[in-house]
Amino acid sequence: MLQAFRRVFVSLLIFFCVIPFVKAAETDEQSSDSPIDVIGKVVDHHYLDLPGYELHLPRILLVDGEWYFYSSTQAALDSGAFVEEDGALVPAGGGEISLDMSITSHLMYVWFGVLLTLWLTIAMARRYNRGTGRKTEPRGWFQNLFEITFVFVQDEIAQKNIPDDKYRKFVPYLFAVFIAITFMNLFGLMPWGVTATADITVTAILAFFTFVITQWNGSKDHWEHVFWFPGVPPLMRIILTPIEIIGLFTKPFALAVRLFANMLSGKIMIICILGLIFIFTDLFGAAAGVSVSFLSVPLTVALYILKAFIGVLQAYIFTLLSAVFIGMAAEEHEHHEEGIEAHA
């Protein structure tokens, strides 16, 4: 049902958004101005959009072994050490930037998500330490919601996918990932907000954490299946071992791409559908823009509700798959020893 719903919206985008752009290109070939910059809304920036204000972020650059620190991109340009080419800073005297450690909008929203997760868990831990929720029932909707979410992650995600004697130590990580990704996904619903998980570098780092935890906690049986394959003829191992090694990396790759693609597509759909008002206004006048708004605004509201649901759903899927991968690596199969003896 959800996939069918998405196909309908994609079809609407093609019909209402692509066709006007084609017509605009035919009628005004020399004009490069666009009424709405879709890509500019979703890419990373060196400033934060705030209501009525742009907060410029620090630039930290390493050039030829020397560090440069500036309060903003404009400050770097004013210093004379850098110039701007195609929207990027380059050293004025030639050379290349060896390392760019500048603070960006996506990084800021990752920090916001992590800090909110820390604040939430620490605040609730203090309540439980005082006895609220242990000696008495949880108080207030906030603590009840926290407990429901924590128990859900513990019982429905961790316990069902990781061996019973090992799942508890992974609950803090899985819960933190679920909450942090949920925050990062939902931040994009704010008019000036940024969806940090619509950046492949962010989702790749999250998937890397899962990869490290998975391999670090891999059982002896897990590594035997990667490099040895008990009970399998030696010639088959030559084929199966490379496949298993590749599989170690395709799993986190799938985690990163799935989350990134879903959140980026949702952001683009909202921008495009709401942007139809400006597109039709630019092409056909204000009357056309007002007419399209009767379709575009309700669709945008529906997409906001859908994107909020998908934001939580994608956090759940990422956490669930992480638990599945960890559980597969941590699981022991005692019957393999019997298989080795039988094969011998």
Side-chain angles (χ1 to χ4, degrees):
M1 181 65 182
L2 187 60
Q3 293 295 332
F5 194 45
R6 176 166 291 190
R7 290 191 189 100
V8 171
F9 280 116
V10 172
S11 301
L12 287 171
L13 281 179
I14 294 174
F15 183 77
F16 288 110
C17 195
V18 176
I19 291 177
F21 273 126
V22 172
K23 183 174 180 180
E26 293 175 349
T27 57
D28 191 7
E29 294 180 356
Q30 296 181 348
S31 177
S32 60
D33 295 333
S34 174
I36 180 170
D37 183 10
V38 177
I39 302 301
K41 294 293 184 180
V42 297
V43 297
D44 207 0
H45 296 289
H46 292 286
Y47 59 86
L48 283 180
D49 270 324
L50 300 176
Y53 181 73
E54 286 185 356
L55 177 63
H56 291 271
L57 301 171
R59 301 301 304 267
I60 307 170
L61 307 166
L62 176 64
V63 180
D64 296 331
E66 184 178 356
W67 287 98
Y68 293 85
F69 300 88
Y70 301 101
S71 61
S72 66
T73 300
Q74 188 59 46
L77 295 174
D78 293 341
S79 70
F82 294 88
V83 295
E84 194 170 18
E85 292 183 4
D86 298 326
L89 289 180
V90 295
E96 295 182 354
I97 296 176
S98 305
L99 184 63
D100 189 347
M101 296 292 290
S102 303
I103 309 300
T104 66
S105 57
H106 286 172
L107 179 59
M108 289 295 296
Y109 275 89
V110 170
W111 288 350
F112 293 157
V114 172
L115 289 175
L116 277 174
T117 301
L118 285 174
W119 170 78
L120 175 65
T121 52
I122 291 172
M124 291 298 104
R126 288 177 177 174
R127 280 200 180 190
Y128 284 104
N129 288 334
R130 291 195 299 264
T132 306
R134 292 190 300 114
K135 299 178 182 179
T136 63
E137 71 279 357
R139 294 180 182 175
W141 67 268
F142 197 74
Q143 187 176 8
N144 278 277
L145 180 61
F146 175 88
E147 184 158 323
I148 290 171
T149 306
F150 186 87
V151 171
F152 172 77
V153 172
Q154 175 183 269
D155 295 350
E156 300 298 324
I157 297 179
Q159 189 174 11
K160 287 190 176 182
N161 296 285
I162 303 175
D164 290 341
D165 58 334
K166 299 180 180 180
Y167 80 91
R168 289 189 180 277
K169 71 176 181 178
F170 299 108
V171 171
Y173 169 71
L174 295 174
F175 179 76
V177 164
F178 177 75
I179 297 299
I181 292 178
T182 299
F183 278 135
M184 286 186 272
N185 290 349
L186 297 182
F187 283 148
L189 296 176
M190 298 185 297
W192 60 88
V194 171
T195 306
T197 45
D199 189 328
I200 188 63
T201 59
V202 174
T203 60
I205 291 297
L206 293 171
F208 176 75
F209 290 154
T210 295
F211 172 77
V212 171
I213 291 173
T214 300
Q215 308 313 321
W216 182 263
N217 292 277
S219 65
K220 179 181 177 181
D221 184 70
H222 166 70
W223 293 111
E224 282 182 348
H225 272 76
V226 173
F227 295 107
W228 187 248
F229 288 95
V232 174
L235 290 178
M236 288 298 297
R237 293 172 187 164
I238 299 175
I239 300 173
L240 294 177
T241 298
I243 294 174
E244 284 295 322
I245 293 174
I246 294 172
L248 296 179
F249 299 96
T250 55
K251 292 172 184 176
F253 177 78
L255 275 180
V257 172
R258 179 191 296 272
L259 179 58
F260 157 73
N262 278 280
M263 300 317 300
L264 179 64
S265 63
K267 187 77 173 179
I268 290 176
M269 287 173 68
I270 288 177
I271 295 170
C272 287
I273 290 179
L274 191 61
L276 291 176
I277 299 173
F278 306 98
I279 294 170
F280 275 79
T281 300
D282 185 69
L283 293 176
F284 308 112
V290 173
S291 300
V292 171
S293 68
F294 290 105
L295 171 67
S296 188
V297 172
L299 284 177
T300 302
V301 173
L303 270 180
Y304 257 79
I305 297 172
L306 181 62
K307 193 171 186 294
F309 169 73
I310 290 176
V312 179
L313 178 64
Q314 289 303 317
Y316 165 73
I317 291 174
F318 187 99
T319 308
L320 176 65
L321 291 177
S322 295
V324 170
F325 297 154
I326 293 171
M328 292 170 62
E331 191 174 5
E332 298 280 359
H333 299 281
E334 297 181 0
H335 64 276
H336 288 155
E337 296 181 2
E338 299 176 359
I340 295 173
E341 295 175 359
H343 180 67

